[in-house]
Amino acid sequence: MSENTAVAKSTENTRNEAALLPPTDVIEDIDGITLYADLPGVPKDKLNLQVEADTLTIEGEVSLDLPEGMESSHAEVGLPRYRRVFTLSRELDAGKVSAELKEGVLKLRIPKAEHAQPRRVEIQVA
Amino acid sequence: MYYRSLFPRDLFAEFDRLQREMQQSFDPHPSIRGLTRGFPALNIGGTPKAVDIYAFAPGIDPATLEVQLVKGMLTIAGERKPEPLPEKATRHIDERFAGRFQRVVSLPDDVDPNAIDAKYRDGVLHVHILRKQEAQPRRITIQ
């Protein structure tokens, strides 16, 4: 039971803890949006993706194998956590988000909802 | 770009560096190479036995990464290709680094250039360099 409360506590706390903003690319094409985010050092099991209403939250914890007793002498990545929140627009289908994490790069694909897909209007020539 | 040692030894040298960095960030005409923040970001640490360098270089084929140690200077170089832009697509946010990169770190004198290994996992390159045997602390038994 103590383990459970510890887990609940840690997820609750992460919202308020300071985090780094991962650099991101967002590309939109006809069928949807592709998002790439740099999350170096985040393994699959430490990545947390959430879609709540129209909010997409990307959160990841850095896990490096640090030797015991290592003293840091220079740090450009000063926090072990990334977080970034995006607001999705209504035409995106949040239920069909697919994600892939490879070598520290997260690739998200958010398709557009069927009704928002562009349709070519045929012009009738009389 | 200023040369700087990443292994602080001298407090005054550190103050000097700090002052330079502060000046740089307030300077209305920054260096043509920008601020010292580069790609990949580096974290460096050490133990009495080894020096550890972590380069945060996500999305790179490890086979194309070049890690070289020449005369106490460790160079990490490579190239990161931009994500292809499909036809009729729009790039709304474009923040991720793309292009060739190189970063150089000067190592302390006591590292062993033959005892270096590098691993790439989750987009982080970890270079582990052992310090020379004779530089390691030894306990001297009293006769």
Side-chain angles (χ1 to χ4, degrees):
Chain A
M1 191 201 133
S2 62
E3 243 175 61
N4 280 345
T5 44
V7 169
K9 223 176 173 183
S10 74
T11 44
E12 206 174 87
N13 278 350
T14 49
R15 292 244 151 189
N16 309 317
E17 272 175 283
L20 300 168
L21 208 63
T24 302
D25 285 358
V26 173
I27 296 167
E28 176 169 6
D29 55 40
I30 304 165
D31 311 314
I33 277 184
T34 310
L35 181 150
Y36 298 92
D38 281 351
L39 302 164
V42 178
K44 251 183 202 140
D45 54 312
K46 293 277 176 73
L47 174 72
N48 185 19
L49 289 173
Q50 256 180 18
V51 182
E52 241 183 272
D54 60 347
T55 312
L56 165 74
T57 308
I58 300 168
E59 221 169 353
E61 216 155 309
V62 178
S63 152
L64 302 175
D65 44 343
L66 302 172
E68 227 182 283
M70 192 184 83
E71 266 181 58
S72 171
S73 56
H74 174 84
E76 290 168 4
V77 179
L79 293 167
R81 191 172 300 106
Y82 303 97
R83 188 187 312 122
R84 196 150 181 181
V85 181
F86 291 95
T87 304
L88 302 176
S89 57
R90 206 179 291 162
E91 78 269 21
L92 296 172
D93 192 344
K96 284 190 188 149
V97 180
S98 59
E100 187 188 321
L101 181 68
K102 206 174 143 201
E103 282 158 357
V105 178
L106 170 72
K107 182 182 174 186
L108 276 184
R109 176 75 190 162
I110 315 163
K112 283 183 190 166
E114 206 104 319
H115 63 82
Q117 300 272 3
R119 248 183 312 158
R120 202 187 153 85
V121 178
E122 291 291 329
I123 301 164
Q124 307 274 330
V125 181
Chain B
M1 218 190 304
Y2 293 99
Y3 164 82
R4 70 167 164 185
S5 167
L6 298 171
F7 300 92
R9 292 224 169 131
D10 181 359
L11 189 64
F12 290 104
E14 276 299 291
F15 275 129
D16 213 39
R17 181 180 65 78
L18 195 69
Q19 199 185 7
R20 268 202 315 259
E21 270 190 9
M22 293 211 1
Q23 267 173 2
Q24 270 190 343
S25 34
F26 292 122
D27 192 354
H29 310 291
S31 152
I32 200 161
R33 292 200 175 88
L35 288 174
T36 45
R37 284 288 140 100
F39 184 92
L42 296 177
N43 277 16
I44 297 164
T47 57
K49 280 191 179 157
V51 173
D52 290 278
I53 294 154
Y54 298 86
F56 294 77
I60 290 167
D61 176 9
T64 65
L65 266 174
E66 288 163 49
V67 181
Q68 262 186 353
L69 181 61
V70 181
K71 288 183 183 165
M73 302 290 270
L74 177 82
T75 305
I76 297 167
E79 186 174 8
R80 187 155 101 146
K81 301 240 162 52
E83 299 299 339
L85 190 67
E87 229 179 291
K88 288 186 184 169
T90 318
R91 222 183 265 272
H92 293 297
I93 307 178
D94 184 15
E95 298 166 345
R96 296 167 64 237
F97 174 87
R100 285 203 64 82
F101 59 85
Q102 171 172 318
R103 290 207 70 178
V104 183
V105 176
S106 81
L107 296 174
D109 304 332
D110 61 1
V111 297
D112 184 351
N114 300 315
I116 174 166
D117 78 273
K119 270 180 244 160
Y120 187 77
R121 184 170 67 93
D122 297 330
V124 178
L125 174 74
H126 177 193
V127 183
H128 183 75
I129 312 152
L130 289 179
R131 294 187 199 266
K132 281 179 192 144
Q133 272 299 322
E134 60 260 33
Q136 297 198 357
R138 235 184 313 167
R139 199 190 158 89
I140 295 153
T141 41
I142 302 159
Q143 309 264 319

